[in-house]
Each structure stands twice: as C-alpha cells, then as structure tokens.
Amino acid sequence: MQEEAEVGAQAEGARRRIPRKRKEGPKIEKVEVEVPEIPEQATPAIAQALIKHLLFMRQQIPMPLEQFKPFLRSEAPENPRKRPSPAHRKALKVLDAMEGVLQGVEDLCREMRLLGILITLGSTPINPKEAFILRFPEDCPPSTFSAADLKKKTGVLSRTLIRLLVTSGLSNFDKPAFPLKTYVLALAVPKGPRTSGDENSSR
C-alpha cells in the first residue's frame, strides 16, 4: 500500500510539472513596401498619399479624402443654430484627426529626413490587427526638378507605390474591414550628413 501511495504521489507530481502550452497571440497581417530612390522633397507627399489611400482602402473612411471633405460640407446643416447629427460630428472628428496627421508628416519632413512610415490598425500600435510599412531610402538626393515637374513626378511615384502596396497585400485588401483605431508612426533622423549617432537612432 505504501508503494502504491508513493507511485501515485510521483504521478501526481509529474502531472503538475507538465508545462502548459502558451497561447499564441493573434497573427498580425503585415505589408511592407520599399520605395525606390526618390528626391527628398517628394517623401512627405508620397507618405501622405499612402496614408490617405490606405485609410480608404481599409474602409476607415467611406470615400477618398478629396471627396470626403466636400461631402461633409454639403451634409452640414444649413441653419448654423441647428446641431449636427452625432454621425456628422463623428465624421468631422475623424476628418480633423486625418488632416492633423497629414500636416504632422509635412511639418516633420521640414526638419527631419523621413526613413519610414508605419500605419497600424487595431486597439494598440504594439499589437495591431494590421500593419503597413513604407520604407524610404536612407539617402534621398535633393531634387533637381522644377516645382511643377517635382509635383508631377511625385504624383506618378505615389500611384506606382499604391499599386505596389495593393499587389503586395492583395489578401489583406480582399478581407472585409471595420472601424479600428489607427496609429501612424514615423521613423526619421536629423537632416544632414549621416553620422554613427544617426545610424544608431534610425534603427
């Protein structure tokens, strides 16, 4: 009886020592696009184009931003004393947030060299449901184009990158989306010649 009790106790101890399998976290759908060499002055416009297009493609706004703004103005109450509907106020809040992000990208690029943009959709930027990464070359040459030619070239590059983005993450764009918290993070270093300190900070 004593031996049976000892064997039973050993078996119980072995069961207790069996490690439990850890539950794997949710899979993050990630799409990454490398930007070819471009003029440095074109980086903010390309980053802005990606942000605007991506939020529309993932159904975070109901239509492209260029159409969204005039649509909201047309839906505003004619009587200024009349309070807008909750849905209209929420849409205006989303529009203000988007314009703030786009302006922030432009302001950042005046003083810093943009190396990448990370756009995440989900409750937190650390563990999002979807992540989209746009990487710029570390050494973008200054533009030698006129303002008009630079604007035209930037438009062509933006459309090319958007097509590449959609092709790279085709399965993502086929999936239905629903409103999620959106975070936009930028990786940038001070403008000027690269130093060892810049290299470390860019990682």
Side-chain angles (χ1 to χ4, degrees):
M1 294 291 293
Q2 184 177 359
E3 291 180 357
E4 292 179 358
E6 290 178 354
V7 171
Q10 291 174 359
E12 180 65 24
R15 284 196 294 269
R16 290 178 180 175
R17 288 194 295 271
I18 295 176
R20 295 182 179 179
K21 292 183 178 180
R22 294 183 179 179
K23 293 183 178 180
E24 295 183 359
K27 182 181 178 182
I28 301 174
E29 297 290 345
K30 185 177 75 170
V31 179
E32 186 169 346
V33 175
E34 294 279 351
V35 180
E37 184 176 292
I38 57 171
E40 185 177 345
Q41 291 87 335
T43 55
I46 290 175
Q48 290 170 334
L50 175 74
I51 294 169
K52 292 187 290 186
H53 187 81
L54 186 59
L55 293 181
F56 168 60
M57 288 293 295
R58 298 312 294 140
Q59 302 170 34
Q60 302 306 301
I61 55 176
M63 59 191 73
L65 184 63
E66 288 74 13
Q67 301 174 21
F68 192 38
K69 292 170 67 175
F71 172 77
L72 288 181
R73 294 193 190 100
S74 67
E75 291 292 307
E78 295 182 1
N79 187 350
R81 294 183 179 181
K82 185 177 180 180
R83 186 176 177 83
S85 67
H88 189 77
R89 292 199 301 271
K90 186 176 182 179
L92 286 174
K93 187 176 180 180
V94 170
L95 177 61
D96 288 343
M98 281 191 64
E99 291 187 326
V101 169
L102 297 174
Q103 185 61 50
V105 170
E106 190 171 329
D107 294 341
L108 174 69
C109 291
R110 289 196 184 99
E111 300 180 359
M112 308 285 283
R113 185 170 66 248
L114 189 62
L115 299 181
I117 288 286
L118 169 64
I119 304 169
T120 65
L121 303 178
S123 57
T124 68
I126 298 175
N127 190 23
K129 290 184 176 295
E130 298 178 4
F132 300 87
I133 303 171
L134 182 67
R135 294 188 182 277
F136 291 101
E138 293 193 5
D139 295 307
C140 291
S143 174
T144 56
F145 299 98
S146 64
D149 289 341
L150 179 62
K151 184 177 180 180
K152 184 177 180 180
K153 185 175 179 63
T154 300
V156 172
L157 282 170
S158 298
R159 290 189 292 272
T160 301
L161 286 171
I162 288 170
R163 284 195 296 269
L164 181 59
L165 173 72
V166 174
T167 304
S168 301
L170 194 58
S171 60
N172 295 67
F173 293 106
D174 286 341
K175 296 177 182 177
F178 51 91
L180 293 167
K181 288 185 178 180
T182 303
Y183 299 88
V184 179
L185 296 87
L187 176 64
V189 295
K191 288 185 177 181
R194 289 183 60 81
T195 64
S196 58
D198 290 343
E199 187 174 354
N200 292 335
S201 65
S202 68
R203 295 176 183 174

